[in-house]
Amino acid sequence: MQTSMKAALIAGSTAMALMLSGCGLGSGQVADADLNGQIEGTITFQTMQLSPTFDDYINGLIKRFEAEHPNTTVKWTDIPSDQTARKVSADAAAGSLPDVMDLDSATLAPLGRDGRVVDMADAAGGLKEDYVASAWNSFDYGDVSVAALPWYVNSPVLLANSALVTKAGSPATPTTYSELLDVSAKIAKESGKAGFQPESVRFPDYLLSVGVPLVNEDSTKARVNTAEAHKFVQKLADLYASGGIPADSVTAAPRAEIDTFSQGATVYLETGASRLKILKENAPAVYDAIAVEEPMGAADGKTWVVAHGLAVPKSSKNAATALAFAKFVTNAQNQLALAQQSAVFPSAVKALNDPFFTAKPTDAPTEARKMVAKILFDGRTTPKPPAVDAEYATTLWASLQSAITGEVPVADALAAAETRLTEMLQKRSK
């Protein structure tokens, strides 16, 4: 993935969601936007850290839209990912949000939960089948069932260091997180290497995969203190004790998981396909040993997906034109064009069926690209519950670190985590 888009999609979404979740956007009814007006006039379009890398692409979109609708003008602004949270919060409070906003599902959550954006289920429900179901469902926040039209998405593959797998006796490739723990234990015993490095942002996925609901039906209470969670966290603690995960991966500031993998210290890395380029440049020996495998949960349709979408605030004074522009940008043709010059994936089903994604792979990156596209196309991805955002993940991880390192009993840590998370969820609902 290009550096700018990678930052917007991954690193930026975590930091911004944390900041936004702590900012009061206000509550109460927000007047519905007028979606029945003429497609004309001026709108503002705000993206997250896509300039200058994608200037030609975005300006081309705007030029074609304005040509199709001669009485329209689109003013594009692009802001750094680390400024988006503050700007969205301030604009929401002032009632001056841009007419079309590019936001990831976690960063959009506060606006969606507060009912401040147009519900695309009503405004563009006829387009639902055009998009991957998990992308469409990623923007369900309750008050607004579809807070944005899906744009670009990312979903992982599992990278295996085949040289280390061979040294460990060639265990079967894990297909679930529970199997990943079991295989990592075998690897540690046979070779002294760690199987993988757990991530705070991924921890909710681990628990979801073993049947932990994480939240109740209306997202007002956390549900993590379960028998399934206890069993999984205890296995992770046992794995930590045996050296099956890097000792510093559970500290306050662990190394990035890709750095650990690049150094040959872990056997598996579940990550976006764009990381292959980084590995090829920075760790060619490891790159040459990589086998690309399906990610955890793919067989059961539970692979994670991170989605960006285009939202239209109810405060827009030109919502009809804003909605038309959002539809235009997210159509299959324009999504495919973006994917072809980056390392993101389209959420549009027709784009995923293009030869760009279906052609025979020629190397690890194209193999990963085809694999992820097929998993998306086949409907084998799923979004997290809407309340399970970056703040939730960070709080969960912080609550369980001491249990994984063996300092606190697992049962006590899970009980404390459930209390902390419930307090956080209830604070949000006020």
Side-chain angles (χ1 to χ4, degrees):
M1 183 182 292
Q2 309 265 4
T3 301
S4 59
M5 185 168 285
K6 175 188 170 186
L9 184 61
I10 302 174
S13 66
T14 299
M16 287 182 291
L18 283 168
M19 295 176 65
L20 263 178
S21 61
C23 299
L25 300 181
S27 58
Q29 296 295 319
V30 181
D32 288 337
D34 180 10
L35 300 172
N36 297 316
Q38 296 295 316
I39 302 176
E40 60 185 10
T42 300
I43 59 170
T44 52
F45 175 40
Q46 180 177 287
T47 56
M48 288 172 51
Q49 204 163 319
L50 299 186
S51 181
T53 306
F54 298 96
D55 282 3
D56 289 345
Y57 173 78
I58 297 295
N59 286 322
L61 286 175
I62 292 171
K63 184 177 181 179
R64 293 197 303 276
F65 179 80
E66 291 175 343
E68 290 183 15
H69 304 282
N71 296 319
T72 62
T73 300
V74 179
K75 294 183 177 180
W76 174 39
T77 60
D78 184 80
I79 59 177
S81 60
D82 60 0
Q83 295 179 18
T84 303
R86 295 185 185 90
K87 188 174 189 305
V88 170
S89 180
D91 289 348
S96 58
L97 288 164
D99 295 291
V100 182
M101 300 177 291
D102 156 34
L103 294 172
D104 64 274
S105 56
T107 307
L108 180 56
L111 297 179
R113 284 195 292 261
D114 210 31
R116 289 182 174 269
V117 291
V118 170
D119 195 332
M120 296 300 179
D122 298 326
L127 300 178
K128 179 179 179 180
E129 301 305 319
D130 292 351
Y131 302 102
V132 172
S134 59
W136 182 265
N137 295 332
S138 288
F139 300 104
D140 183 351
Y141 305 112
D143 285 348
V144 180
S145 59
V146 185
L149 286 180
W151 193 12
Y152 59 89
V153 302
N154 209 346
S155 196
V157 290
L158 180 67
L159 305 182
N161 186 321
S162 59
L164 296 182
V165 170
T166 300
K167 287 183 180 180
S170 300
T173 302
T175 60
T176 67
Y177 289 116
S178 290
E179 288 181 6
L180 180 59
L181 299 190
D182 293 336
V183 172
S184 295
K186 294 177 182 178
I187 288 171
K189 183 177 180 180
E190 294 294 328
S191 67
K193 292 287 185 178
F196 77 111
Q197 176 177 316
E199 299 177 80
S200 60
V201 71
R202 198 70 51 77
F203 211 85
D205 298 324
Y206 303 160
L207 296 187
L208 281 170
S209 73
V210 296
V212 181
L214 299 182
V215 294
N216 63 355
E217 290 186 4
D218 61 1
S219 297
T220 58
K221 293 182 180 180
R223 291 190 59 195
V224 297
N225 191 12
T226 69
E228 294 85 358
H230 189 287
K231 181 179 179 181
F232 185 87
V233 177
Q234 186 59 60
K235 284 180 67 175
L236 192 57
D238 294 341
L239 185 62
Y240 177 86
S242 71
I245 58 176
D248 61 357
S249 67
V250 196
T251 60
R255 290 174 295 173
E257 73 283 359
I258 190 170
D259 292 338
T260 310
F261 186 77
S262 297
Q263 294 161 10
T266 51
V267 176
Y268 296 108
L269 173 65
E270 189 180 52
T271 187
S274 61
R275 297 289 190 91
L276 283 163
K277 180 179 180 181
I278 299 173
L279 288 166
K280 185 175 183 179
E281 293 174 351
N282 299 336
V286 171
Y287 175 84
D288 289 341
I290 284 176
V292 179
E293 308 285 356
E294 286 198 346
M296 303 296 100
D300 301 322
K302 295 180 179 179
T303 298
W304 60 265
V305 64
V306 175
H308 264 246
L310 297 187
V312 175
K314 290 182 178 179
S315 59
S316 173
K317 298 297 189 287
N318 200 353
T321 302
L323 178 61
F325 183 70
K327 290 179 178 178
F328 175 78
V329 173
T330 62
N331 70 32
Q333 179 181 351
N334 288 328
Q335 287 202 27
L336 177 61
L338 177 61
Q340 288 173 331
Q341 56 186 283
S342 66
V344 297
F345 292 86
S347 61
V349 175
K350 286 184 179 179
L352 289 168
N353 204 32
D354 187 85
F356 180 73
F357 294 107
T358 60
K360 184 178 179 179
T362 56
D363 54 16
T366 52
E367 183 179 0
R369 183 171 72 201
K370 181 176 181 178
M371 183 178 292
V372 173
K374 184 171 181 3
I375 290 171
L376 287 164
F377 184 83
D378 291 345
R380 291 191 281 149
T381 55
T382 183
K384 300 180 184 71
V388 183
D389 55 14
E391 182 187 21
Y392 185 106
T394 302
T395 302
L396 175 64
W397 176 252
S399 300
L400 297 180
Q401 283 176 298
S402 57
I404 296 170
T405 58
E407 300 170 62
V408 174
V410 171
D412 293 349
L414 284 170
E418 190 162 281
T419 298
R420 289 179 64 183
L421 290 165
T422 295
E423 290 173 350
M424 180 192 76
L425 293 171
Q426 292 181 345
K427 183 178 179 181
R428 287 178 179 177
S429 64
K430 291 180 180 179

